[in-house]
Amino acid sequence: MNEATPIRPARNAELGASNEPLQNLHEFVRKARANLNQNAWDYIVGAAETETTMRRNRMALDEIAFRPRVLRNVAKVDASVERFGRKLRLPVMLAPVGALEIFDAAGAAAVVRGTGKFGAAHMLSSVSDPGLEKVADAAPDAMRLYQLYVRGDDAFVEDSVSRAIANGYTAFCLTVDTAHYSRRERDIAKRYVRESRLRSTGGDFQKALEWRTVKLIKDKFKIPLVIKGIATAEDALIALDHGVEWIYVSNHGGRQLDHGRGAMHVLPEIVDAVKGRARIMVDGGFCRGSDVVKAIISGADLVGIGRLQCWALAAAGEAGVLRMLELLEDEVIRTLGLLGVTSFAELDKSYLHQATPTNMPSVFSAFPLLDIEPYRY
């Protein structure tokens, strides 16, 4: 893995004094909006039906406050962790997003290159170009994970797992919360259907997906298995019974079942049920360094970054992804230092406290300095 020199707050550079064009995370959002047409924009910011689940993702994060400790030596703060036997600069994974090519022509290849240069993890969606092999070729040394939507029979699944192993993917992920494709009303209101949706086939296989496919993968292959879309302790326990190594807490960014719980409302239930018998990923509204810290304290091992990844890619391609991760790392390091710790290992739940949210939750509520003109449907 190519490891660029991390941003470190101790470098004695005053924030805002450099010539870097992107210095706040909300600036990626603003630039992405300028670069994208309404259909591509809605794909990032939209969710299902009333978009309640998406807003609850942010509300659940904003309901958590910090309890910082002071007068501790935090001159050197290290945000790195070890996952899958490798060191990562942050406990962050760029989450699987379909159709990344609508944000940048290089699609997932640009994302994995930027992620690899930084030193974080990347999970490739099976419905994102340029596909499994070409993304592996784009960044062979990056930590790459592969996520599958089941669009065929057992042979289709087995072929997908075999190809992921052959191309050096660290883990294989099965998404299980898309049995039916949701009503994305921003698109419906414009009578817009994404080209990749028009080409999509095999939806009945996803609708018929059952635990037997999990067993099939575990019985036939030696690769860590991730189940994405777990939202209850009951299903987490069934996953454990099947030998699943990673449970991925996710509501698809609010883009599938409407009126679901926020991811950070679900996470404690899963952590309590799993009791350390599997590792845990989570995504859903995570946009700031403080969000990442809250998730790790709450029991997650990796935090998925979805929409922020898309904004960065749309803003500046591969370089935008790398820069976004640098800024996210800067926020994480400052948050750890201000909590009075020098690494994630020093944190426990005593650093968190329930609180009342102060911002009205929305897809942009992590960025209160941002003002995006709403589109009228």
Side-chain angles (χ1 to χ4, degrees):
M1 180 183 298
N2 296 320
E3 293 193 12
T5 302
I7 287 180
R8 290 291 181 261
R11 63 188 173 170
N12 297 320
E14 187 65 27
L15 291 176
S18 80
N19 293 322
E20 287 281 356
L22 295 163
Q23 299 195 43
N24 287 311
L25 290 175
H26 79 260
E27 294 171 12
F28 292 93
V29 188
R30 185 172 59 204
K31 190 171 181 183
R33 183 66 190 101
N35 288 347
L36 295 174
N37 63 39
Q38 191 62 41
N39 291 328
W41 178 251
D42 280 347
Y43 182 58
I44 307 179
V45 304
E49 299 183 21
T50 68
E51 302 189 341
T52 295
T53 307
M54 178 266 288
R55 286 193 293 273
R56 282 182 178 154
N57 280 335
R58 280 309 312 175
M59 182 179 288
L61 280 160
D62 292 343
E63 287 175 351
I64 301 172
F66 289 122
R67 298 181 68 248
R69 303 297 302 275
V70 297
L71 293 174
R72 295 177 171 182
N73 184 345
V74 290
K76 294 181 179 180
V77 177
D78 182 4
S80 69
V81 297
E82 185 176 299
R83 300 291 185 262
F84 293 103
R86 292 178 59 174
K87 184 177 181 180
L88 299 176
R89 273 173 64 176
L90 286 175
V92 159
M93 172 193 66
L94 294 202
V97 177
L100 285 170
E101 59 275 9
I102 71 175
F103 309 123
D104 182 272
V111 177
V112 76
R113 283 194 298 262
T115 309
K117 288 176 181 176
F118 175 82
H122 173 261
M123 185 178 284
L124 173 66
S125 169
S126 63
V127 292
S128 211
D129 288 342
L132 186 155
E133 286 83 6
K134 290 183 178 179
V135 168
D137 291 341
D141 296 328
M143 183 185 285
R144 293 173 286 102
L145 303 86
Y146 185 72
Q147 173 268 330
L148 180 69
Y149 291 106
V150 175
R151 296 288 190 262
D153 58 13
D154 289 353
F156 169 89
V157 173
E158 291 179 27
D159 177 68
S160 298
V161 183
S162 297
R163 289 166 54 216
I165 293 171
N167 284 273
Y169 285 82
T170 301
F172 188 86
C173 175
L174 200 62
T175 288
V176 297
D177 63 353
T178 56
H180 288 259
Y181 192 76
S182 64
R183 290 180 58 87
R184 314 280 174 92
E185 294 197 351
R186 292 175 186 249
D187 290 342
I188 297 170
K190 300 193 307 292
R191 306 301 189 262
Y192 169 73
V193 181
R194 206 169 64 251
E195 185 65 30
S196 58
R197 288 291 305 163
L198 291 172
R199 298 194 308 265
S200 179
T201 60
D204 286 344
F205 289 100
Q206 193 78 31
K207 292 177 182 176
L209 189 62
E210 296 179 293
W211 287 103
R212 59 170 293 278
T213 301
V214 177
K215 184 177 187 304
L216 170 73
I217 296 171
K218 290 304 301 175
D219 286 349
K220 289 203 169 190
F221 298 97
K222 299 297 182 185
I223 186 172
L225 181 60
V226 184
I227 302 297
K228 179 177 183 285
I230 297 288
T232 63
E234 293 90 336
D235 282 338
L237 292 174
I238 297 173
L240 291 179
D241 289 341
H242 283 75
V244 171
E245 290 92 349
W246 283 80
I247 292 174
Y248 194 156
V249 177
S250 176
N251 53 42
H252 229 90
R255 296 156 67 83
Q256 278 301 113
L257 177 66
D258 196 19
H259 296 282
R261 293 181 292 167
M264 285 296 286
H265 287 150
V266 176
L267 181 61
E269 175 182 323
I270 305 300
V271 172
D272 289 346
V274 169
K275 292 181 170 58
R277 289 173 288 171
R279 308 299 290 271
I280 295 173
M281 301 177 183
V282 65
D283 70 22
F286 296 90
C287 293
R288 306 302 296 254
S290 55
D291 298 339
V292 173
V293 174
K294 289 175 183 179
I296 298 301
I297 295 175
S298 300
D301 296 289
L302 277 176
V303 180
I305 303 295
R307 287 182 172 91
L308 185 59
Q309 165 194 172
C310 298
W311 286 320
L313 181 63
E318 176 187 334
V321 172
L322 175 58
R323 179 62 177 159
M324 176 271 289
L325 286 166
E326 290 173 343
L327 292 180
L328 194 65
E329 179 187 50
D330 189 55
E331 291 191 355
V332 167
I333 287 173
R334 293 173 192 273
T335 300
L336 293 175
L338 290 169
L339 283 173
V341 302
T342 61
S343 70
F344 282 105
E346 297 175 30
L347 292 169
D348 57 41
K349 291 183 180 178
S350 70
Y351 287 87
L352 299 182
H353 194 276
Q354 285 298 114
T356 302
T358 61
N359 296 338
M360 184 67 68
S362 77
V363 71
F364 304 122
S365 59
F367 309 109
L369 301 182
L370 186 71
D371 188 14
I372 298 291
E373 184 71 22
Y375 179 82
R376 302 302 176 190
Y377 296 89

